[in-house]
Amino acid sequence: MKLIINSLKVFTKGNKNNKPIIFVHGFPYNHTMWDKQIEALKDKYYCVSYDIRGLGESYIGDGQYTMEAFVWDLYSIIDELKLDKPALCGLSMGGYIALRAVTKEEKRFGSLILCDTRSEADNNEGKLKRSNAINKINVEGIEAFVDEFVPGCFHPKIKERNNEMYQRILNECKTQNPIGVKGALIAMLSRLDTTESLENISLPTLVLVGKKDALTPPKLMKELAHKIPGAKLVVVPKSGHMTPLENPNFVNSKILTFLKNLDK
Ligand code: MLT
């Protein structure tokens, strides 16, 4: 089912009476990056995904976003759909949103799945990269930015392994609205560091990272997982930063096992 909540495009699949899981996508992607997970989970779980403000089919507005506003958006969907302690699953920028949402109001959630993300805020080098990205979009356009940024998110062999999916995603990213993309860059650049709050997370947590993730490498994710009490780390083979797209069967089985164990 497709809905508009708080000017965001929200997608639901599965029986509303089943346990809910909400998926938050990465940058500069949209909700479809979770299609394979939702397909695998929809018979047992009530699956909710959405396009983050400024991306996909959600409201663009003036492009003035903050990570805090992204978190309020997530809460608004949970409230509107009356989701009872959903599992929260976020990748990269979706993970920044998930970590901030959980460290602010953990009681809203039942469990946490973090894919290819980090708790640290941008350092100076990272901020300069964001500034250069905004400049590239202004001077050369969104397509040039996507051509530069997106290939680095995938495993070096992605074109040999699944060129069709890769090209589809690349083309989808090129249709994103530049105002929304630049707004998301500023929201990431100005986000808080959530590292100190990791030790207070008491939700069952699964941490997934691609073996060849160049953006948030396994070493970094191992440190993140180590700081969250009881968190389980799984390294995803044959995958870069985009684990749910690059090795969906493996990711699906890990998520399903994690969720099934919560029911015991
Ligand atoms: C993402 O996949 O969401 C981005 O790589 C996040 C970022 O640029 O920090």
Side-chain angles (χ1 to χ4, degrees), residues 25-29 91-96 116 118 122 130 149 153 185 188 191 215-216 241-242:
H25 65 80
F27 166 90
Y29 305 99
L91 178 133
S92 202
M93 180 173 77
Y96 309 156
D116 307 273
R118 64 172 78 225
D122 283 4
R130 306 281 189 213
F149 181 82
C153 293
L185 283 162
M188 290 192 284
R191 74 189 190 275
L215 276 73
T216 52
H241 186 61
M242 303 304 295

Side-chain angles (χ1 to χ4, degrees), residues 7-244:
S7 71
L8 304 163
K9 197 73 177 261
V10 179
F11 306 82
T12 68
K13 268 205 174 152
N15 185 332
K16 178 122 214 268
N17 296 322
N18 285 338
K19 291 202 169 154
I21 175 163
I22 182 157
F23 293 93
V24 194
H25 65 80
F27 166 90
Y29 305 99
N30 64 27
H31 74 281
T32 62
M33 60 157 283
W34 298 111
D35 279 357
K36 288 262 169 25
Q37 285 62 51
I38 292 173
E39 210 40 48
L41 268 69
K42 70 176 184 347
D43 292 340
K44 291 202 178 108
Y45 298 91
Y46 181 56
C47 299
V48 179
S49 60
Y50 67 102
D51 287 338
I52 291 168
R53 185 171 299 274
L55 296 169
E57 296 175 47
S58 282
Y59 185 69
I60 311 289
D62 59 6
Q64 308 285 304
Y65 323 128
T66 61
M67 199 54 63
E68 298 308 294
F70 287 162
V71 170
W72 297 328
D73 284 343
L74 170 65
Y75 291 162
S76 74
I77 295 170
I78 293 171
D79 290 342
E80 182 71 24
L81 293 177
K82 299 190 173 52
L83 303 180
D84 183 24
K85 291 195 178 286
L88 174 62
C89 177
L91 178 133
S92 202
M93 180 173 77
Y96 309 156
I97 296 171
L99 276 170
R100 182 63 186 141
V102 161
T103 54
K104 267 175 89 148
E105 287 188 38
E106 183 180 297
K107 63 178 186 324
R108 284 177 172 274
F109 302 97
S111 61
L112 178 62
I113 303 170
L114 296 169
C115 307
D116 307 273
T117 192
R118 64 172 78 225
S119 57
E120 293 81 13
D122 283 4
N123 58 18
N124 283 353
E125 192 194 339
K127 286 180 183 159
L128 286 173
K129 276 192 191 157
R130 306 281 189 213
S131 307
N132 289 337
I134 291 171
N135 198 43
K136 192 164 185 96
I137 296 171
N138 285 338
V139 175
E140 296 176 44
I142 185 74
E143 298 201 0
F145 165 68
V146 168
D147 276 333
E148 182 178 79
F149 181 82
V150 170
C153 293
F154 286 84
H155 190 286
K157 289 196 177 148
I158 189 64
K159 285 193 196 165
E160 289 159 47
R161 287 184 180 151
N162 195 345
N163 195 35
E164 198 186 313
M165 174 276 288
Y166 176 68
Q167 296 301 336
R168 179 175 54 79
I169 297 289
L170 204 61
N171 289 336
E172 250 175 40
C173 290
K174 289 180 183 176
T175 67
Q176 297 281 22
N177 187 309
I179 293 173
V181 172
K182 288 187 283 183
L185 283 162
I186 299 274
M188 290 192 284
L189 182 156
S190 58
R191 74 189 190 275
L192 298 183
D193 190 313
T194 52
T195 310
E196 282 192 0
S197 309
L198 295 178
E199 64 182 21
N200 301 323
I201 296 178
S202 64
L203 296 175
T205 302
L206 173 66
V207 178
L208 296 168
V209 61
K211 190 164 181 217
K212 294 276 182 198
D213 184 339
L215 276 73
T216 52
K219 186 173 173 289
L220 185 95
M221 293 289 297
K222 196 172 168 186
E223 284 166 18
L224 177 137
H226 191 69
K227 289 182 183 140
I228 302 177
K232 181 178 163 52
L233 173 80
V234 176
V235 177
V236 181
K238 295 188 176 171
S239 190
H241 186 61
M242 303 304 295
T243 46

